[in-house]
Each structure stands twice: as structure tokens, then as C-alpha cells.
Amino acid sequence: MPRIFVKFQDEKHVELAAGPDATFRSVVEQAYRELRPHDELPPDDKLKIFYDGKLVAKATLTLGDMNVQAHKTISVELPARREDAPIDNVLAKLQAFLRLSAGELGPDEMTFIGIGCFDHGHGEDSIKRQQCPDSLLQYCIRQRVDLNLILVDPGFADTTGRFRQIYDMPGWRLQFEEEGSRIRQYSYTPSVTAGACDVWLTVFATGIAEYTLELAGQGKLIGGISLPDVFAAAGGPHHPGACVISGNFYLTPADASQYFTRGSQQVIAAAGFTHNP
């Protein structure tokens, strides 16, 4: 049976199997149950379902009616819920943290920013790819350069442990939390113990305007902050080995329209990524 994706605003892509006789409503319900198993999907008149850039007129239409192809994405806009309202303090602190990170950038420091990266149970490979890629972590330890991981997704407000994330794996230690645990910072103790480098991971449980139905700006804009501008020093004469890798890395191989890089092409390649300015 063909595999397709369902994407809710500020949520993950959900991959599932569906045949041409399945209705859009049934497919969206199946994806919604995976993301929010204790909630009910709103009625049809409260949903906006899009496929191939077009609004689906009726949720009772079948995938065959709209000629939905394998590996394509159905996008869904849900009515706002109180808990989905913008978290102004978290967003403001994310903006400040991005500016601070750029201002304190080391000459060889690596910055990885994962957008829409809370994982809903897709397995360890998916978690690492989106939140702390092995190739990047091992490069930083091997080369003894610091790594700053910044993860942005409303899902990080969930601290129940229902879905495992990178910080639930061995080696990560919680250092502080604020804003009702919607901002948390972790350190990776093996790299410190080995005297190799500092690895910090900071999660911000908030959405960003640029990440709605699809990631806009190839990861260059986060909460109105232009990363190419604030991280302009990366790869320059005073920060020759410093690099920024930012975007959404759910798909494999990564979709080049969903992320961008800044810094040395050679360093980026050595860390396991394709240069994508």
C-alpha cells in the first residue's frame, strides 16, 4: 500500500500507508491519533486540508479523487487551541539566545539548529538525525570543537517521556530549566569527561511563524531572526572553522529546500552534511 505523509502546522510529518479508497478524513484522523492519542480530531468544518497546493473541498473525498501520489504530503490546518497559543516569553528568549550564540561564537564552533524536530516515536535514527546527528557529534569530539545544539518545536513542552528524545539517551544531563520547563538545557557528559569539547543542547518549546505548513526560508529565518545576518562571522577570517547548520532533517536524504548551511564547505562535509548556502 502506498506511503504518504500528513503534516499539521507546528507538528511533525506523519508517515502512513493509505490506499486510493481512503478518505482524507480517515487519513488525517489516523495521523492525528499518532500525534495526539488522547485528543479527538476537530469536525470537518473546522479543518483545512491541502494537497498539491490546493484546498481539499470535502474531507469525505478519497485520495483517489485527488490523485494523491506516493510519498507526497497532505497538509492540515487545525483550529487554534489555548495550549497552542504563542508562548511569547519562550519565543523572545529563543531570539535572544540566537543572538547570544552568534555573539559568543568560537573560531571553530559548530551550531546545529533543528526546527520542528520533536520526534513522535520514529526510532533512534530519526531522533539523532533531527536533534544531534552522530556524524556531527563525532566530528566535534574528534576535532575538539564545541557544539551548540538548538532545538525548536512546541512538542518539547511534553516532559512525560511518552516519546523518547535525544536527551533521554545515555550521556545527556539536564543543567537547568525555565518557563515551566519549556526551555531546558542539557550537556553531553562523555565529551567533557574525555576532555574533548563542550556539547550543549537547548530546547525551546515554541513554534515559529516561518514554520507553518512547510518550512519557509530554508531554515534561514527563525522567529524573525535572519541567521545569515547574525551568524555572518561563521566561516570568516576570525571564525574559519565555525559553521551553522539549520533546518528540518526529518527526511532522509535531507530535502535541500528544508535547510541551509553557513561556513566552510570542507568542514560541513567533514561533519556529514552537504554544503547548502
Side-chain angles (χ1 to χ4, degrees):
M1 191 173 290
R3 309 290 294 183
I4 61 171
F5 297 96
V6 178
K7 173 74 172 68
F8 300 91
Q9 72 266 35
D10 294 332
E11 297 277 10
K12 300 300 302 172
H13 288 77
V14 176
E15 182 179 358
L16 47 82
D21 294 334
T23 66
F24 280 88
R25 172 79 190 191
S26 66
V27 169
V28 171
E29 278 185 324
Q30 183 179 344
Y32 193 74
R33 281 196 301 271
E34 181 172 332
L35 293 177
R36 300 176 180 176
H38 303 296
D39 294 349
E40 290 188 8
L41 182 69
D44 293 354
D45 61 352
K46 299 295 184 182
L47 301 174
K48 289 184 178 180
I49 303 174
F50 298 86
Y51 175 69
D52 198 24
K54 302 180 181 67
L55 179 67
V56 177
K58 296 180 180 179
T60 53
L61 290 174
T62 68
L63 304 190
D65 290 333
M66 296 286 289
N67 194 28
V68 175
Q69 300 296 305
H71 308 299
K72 294 295 185 179
T73 299
I74 296 169
S75 300
V76 186
E77 287 186 7
L78 299 169
R81 307 185 310 171
R82 179 174 297 177
E83 55 266 43
D84 291 334
I87 307 163
D88 292 342
N89 284 349
V90 177
L91 181 57
K93 290 184 177 182
L94 168 62
Q95 294 168 332
F97 190 78
L98 290 170
R99 293 189 179 100
L100 177 66
S101 297
E104 296 183 347
L105 190 67
D108 300 308
E109 183 175 343
M110 300 291 288
T111 302
F112 177 87
I113 305 171
I115 307 170
C117 58
F118 184 84
D119 193 87
H120 291 83
H122 293 99
E124 187 170 308
D125 288 346
S126 176
I127 294 167
K128 289 183 175 181
R129 184 171 65 252
Q130 298 180 82
Q131 300 179 6
C132 181
D134 278 339
S135 60
L136 177 62
L137 179 61
Q138 293 307 315
Y139 170 84
C140 291
I141 293 174
R142 187 171 62 250
Q143 298 297 323
R144 299 180 179 271
V145 299
D146 292 342
L147 173 59
N148 182 19
L149 301 158
I150 304 170
L151 308 181
V152 183
D153 192 305
F156 290 115
D158 180 5
T159 56
T160 65
R162 180 167 53 119
F163 297 110
R164 193 172 185 232
Q165 308 299 319
I166 192 71
Y167 45 74
D168 296 314
M169 296 181 184
W172 295 95
R173 177 179 296 173
L174 178 66
Q175 297 295 336
F176 79 84
E177 53 190 324
E178 57 180 313
E179 297 294 335
S181 292
R182 293 181 183 270
I183 299 174
R184 302 189 303 280
Q185 188 168 79
Y186 301 81
S187 65
Y188 187 64
T189 55
S191 65
V192 177
T193 302
C197 62
D198 289 328
V199 178
W200 296 95
L201 182 149
T202 312
V203 300
F204 292 87
T206 185
I208 58 172
E210 298 86 2
Y211 192 74
T212 52
L213 290 178
E214 297 293 341
L215 182 63
Q218 297 183 350
K220 296 178 181 178
L221 282 173
I222 298 181
I225 301 296
S226 171
L227 298 188
D229 291 337
V230 297
F231 283 95
H238 301 295
H239 301 79
C243 296
V244 179
I245 300 164
S246 171
N248 181 276
F249 299 93
Y250 175 72
L251 297 176
T252 180
D255 182 342
S257 72
Q258 300 282 287
Y259 77 96
F260 102 105
T261 66
R262 186 176 189 89
S264 164
Q265 182 172 348
Q266 291 73 24
V267 172
I268 289 168
F273 290 85
T274 300
H275 188 53
N276 192 31

